[in-house]
Each structure stands twice: as structure tokens, then as C-alpha cells.
Amino acid sequence: MAKFDKAVVFLLTVVLMISLWLPISECSKKPVGAARKEDIPYIKCQVCEKLALQLYQQVQAKQAEISPKKISEYQIIEISENVCNLKKQEADWILKIDIVEQGDRLELVEQDSEGQCNSECKTIERACQEVMGYSDTDVAEYLYKKKPQIDSLVKYLCEDLTGACSTKPPKVPKDRIPGEPFVPKSSKEAEMERMLKSMEGMPGAPGMKMYSREDLMNMKNFGDEDADDEDDDDETQFPSNLGKVLKEKESQKKEWKQRITKAVMNAGETVKTRANKVSDGIRRWWKAKKAAVLKKNQSPARENSS
């Protein structure tokens, strides 16, 4: 129960921090598009090249971080496993790429800041995952043992290992529907999402995502039923609601303690009653047994005396 209470308090603290730090316009839920699989053949080689660069740079950064210790093969495997997963920090590079039409080809253009993740972001992630496939441990071993320069790594990953750049990409059809425009995130929103990713897997921090302040106020056990209140009212009301939730959790905790205590006492009484019955039965059996033995021993004595 103590672990559960700590998890609840931790989660409520994070949610409160998000609500008070970010305005609604910056953290409102945005639709996330699905990957456009038909676009993957046009960008697969470019994605592989950028993937190789990221692997090289992230391994170098990790080595500098833990210096003078030497980076382990396990740490490199961890980077290679996460670099194509947008739920992990190692894949944040994908958020800075825009897919731009250049005549009959698609060009991956790196932006100065992270953008909102819609269909283009998901398409790059999917292409990255297709390139990597089951090769994450192979490329990690190559990085660990060979310590290659970036050119050698690109050739190994994109030509020898995966074949992502072994053929020229096809031409883009003229009737292809353009992707959505690149929409930059605010620095605060990007920082908050990085914070949530860093807490992924921590005790008491389940998979969390960004919610608007209005969403937070409308959650079960949070805030008013009136979702149209002004932001100032929400800010003054939210702390009191947080206190209310914590009191309710404390009340639930006491109620469960009482239930458990009562159940234990009832169980104890039941066991005690049954034990007394068994004990009485044993005493009666032993008394009868003892009387029978005594009677049997006395019978020969009476016969002799007669």
C-alpha cells in the first residue's frame, strides 16, 4: 500500500507541474497521423544514412559522458535498440526532420528545432525500424569492435548489412498527396516531453502523455465539472482538488486497513473456534481411550480376586 501511495503522489505531482508550467495552447493533445508506408521506398536510403550518423554521434556522446570508463557493448546495443523508437530519447533526432518534395524525389531536410509528430514523423520512424530490423546487435557489435569512422559505418549499415542504399530510390508519382507542413514545438513543450521520456519505466511513472490543462481538470477525481471556467479559476481550484484527491486516497487507505484488520480478526476468531473444537474432540477421545484402557486393566484383577 505504501508503494501504491508513493506512486499516486508522484504521478499527481508530475501532472500538476505540467498543468501549471505549460499553457493550453502549448500542450493540448494533437492528432498523431499514421505512417505513410508507400513513402518509405523513396526515403529509406536517406533514413539509413541519418541513422548511421546518429548511431555514431550517440556512441561518441555516451563515451564522452562516462569517460574515462570505456563504453560497453551493452550500452551500444541499448542505443541501437532505442534509436528508432519515438518513445525513447535516442530517437528525438526524427522529430527534427521534414520530408520535402524535390521534383520527382523526396528529401529529408533537418530543421533547427523539433516539430509536432504527425504522419511524416511516423513514416521516418517506420522506415528507420525497417532499416534496422534485427540488425541492432550486429551494428552494435561492429561499433564496439571496429570503432569505425562515419563513412565506414554508413557503408556497413546501409549497403553491406541492410542493403537500404544498394538500389536507387524510385521516382515519386506526380499525384502523390503532399505531407503536412513542419510545425515546430515550443522549447518548453519539447523539454517537458524529454522529461516524460526520461521518466519512462520509473516506479510510479507509467506511460504518460501530454494533456491540456482542460483535460487534466476534467479527469476523474480532478477538478470541476464545469469545463468552461477561466484559466485563473482552474489554477486556484486545482491545488485544492489535489488536496481533496490525496485526502480521498488517505481515506481509502484507512478504510482498507480497517477491512484487512477486521478480516484478520474474524479469521483469527474462526481459527480459534475450530481449534477449540478440535482440542475438545481430542480431549474427549483421549479421556474415552484412557477410560477404556483403565477398565481393561481392572477386569483381570477382578477375575483373579473372584
Side-chain angles (χ1 to χ4, degrees):
M1 290 297 291
K3 186 181 292 185
F4 174 76
D5 290 336
K6 289 180 180 178
V8 171
V9 172
F10 179 87
L11 181 57
L12 289 174
T13 303
V14 172
V15 170
L16 175 60
M17 180 173 58
I18 294 171
S19 174
L20 297 179
W21 188 13
L22 296 178
I24 294 175
S25 59
E26 289 183 347
C27 66
S28 56
K29 290 193 290 184
K30 302 171 180 66
V32 178
R36 296 176 61 170
K37 298 179 183 179
E38 67 275 11
D39 280 352
I40 292 178
Y42 311 125
I43 63 172
K44 196 169 186 177
C45 178
Q46 295 179 70
V47 169
C48 185
E49 292 171 345
K50 290 188 178 295
L51 169 59
L53 178 61
Q54 284 299 316
L55 288 168
Y56 179 82
Q57 291 178 342
Q58 291 189 32
V59 168
Q60 293 294 317
K62 188 66 177 180
Q63 178 60 75
E65 178 187 337
I66 64 174
S67 181
K69 290 184 179 180
K70 182 182 178 182
I71 189 171
S72 67
E73 188 172 4
Y74 173 79
Q75 289 171 312
I76 299 177
I77 290 174
E78 188 175 27
I79 292 172
S80 64
E81 286 179 343
N82 295 337
V83 75
C84 293
N85 183 356
L86 283 167
K87 294 180 180 180
K88 304 294 184 179
Q89 286 181 302
E90 289 85 351
D92 284 348
W93 62 276
I94 296 175
L95 300 172
K96 290 187 175 182
I97 298 178
D98 185 22
I99 301 177
V100 180
E101 286 190 2
Q102 298 284 358
D104 59 358
R105 62 191 300 268
L106 297 181
E107 185 77 21
L108 299 187
V109 180
E110 190 167 345
Q111 306 296 313
D112 294 331
S113 62
E114 294 180 6
Q116 303 295 341
C117 185
N118 294 310
S119 65
E120 290 191 354
C121 169
K122 291 293 185 180
T123 302
I124 296 170
E125 178 191 38
R126 182 62 179 266
C128 185
Q129 291 170 350
E130 287 192 11
V131 168
M132 186 65 81
Y134 296 102
S135 303
D136 47 5
T137 53
D138 293 326
V139 72
E141 183 181 5
Y142 182 78
L143 281 161
Y144 179 72
K145 292 182 177 180
K146 301 293 184 181
K147 298 177 179 57
Q149 294 300 310
I150 183 60
D151 293 342
S152 300
L153 180 58
V154 169
K155 183 180 182 302
Y156 174 76
L157 178 62
C158 302
E159 295 180 17
D160 303 336
L161 187 60
T162 67
C165 294
S166 57
T167 58
K168 190 176 180 180
K171 293 183 179 181
V172 177
K174 293 181 179 180
D175 60 350
R176 175 186 176 272
I177 300 174
E180 68 274 352
F182 186 87
V183 180
K185 293 178 184 174
S186 68
S187 58
K188 285 186 178 180
E189 188 176 1
E191 181 61 30
M192 180 57 71
E193 289 189 3
R194 277 192 289 272
M195 183 186 297
L196 294 179
K197 286 180 183 179
S198 69
M199 292 189 295
E200 187 76 23
M202 290 175 59
M208 291 181 289
K209 55 184 178 180
M210 305 302 291
Y211 291 96
S212 69
R213 188 177 302 168
E214 182 179 358
D215 292 329
L216 293 173
M217 299 302 295
N218 288 331
M219 284 183 182
K220 186 177 181 181
N221 294 331
F222 282 83
D224 292 332
E225 295 177 359
D226 184 5
D228 297 327
D229 287 347
E230 295 295 330
D231 287 349
D232 292 341
D233 294 336
D234 291 345
E235 290 178 0
T236 56
Q237 185 68 19
F238 190 84
S240 63
N241 289 327
L242 177 60
K244 181 180 178 182
V245 172
L246 293 176
K247 287 179 181 178
E248 289 177 355
K249 293 299 180 184
E250 184 65 24
S251 176
Q252 291 177 5
K253 178 181 177 181
K254 291 180 179 179
E255 182 180 349
W256 274 106
K257 282 185 176 179
Q258 291 174 355
R259 289 184 181 181
I260 293 171
T261 303
K262 185 177 180 180
V264 170
M265 292 178 65
N266 290 340
E269 290 296 328
T270 302
V271 171
K272 184 178 179 181
T273 300
R274 291 182 178 179
N276 289 337
K277 287 183 179 179
V278 171
S279 179
D280 290 341
I282 292 174
R283 282 197 295 268
R284 286 195 298 271
W285 172 83
W286 177 247
K287 187 176 181 180
K289 185 74 173 177
K290 188 176 180 181
V293 171
L294 183 61
K295 184 177 180 181
K296 183 178 180 181
N297 291 336
Q298 288 177 348
S299 295
R302 289 178 180 176
E303 291 177 357
N304 293 336
S305 62
S306 62

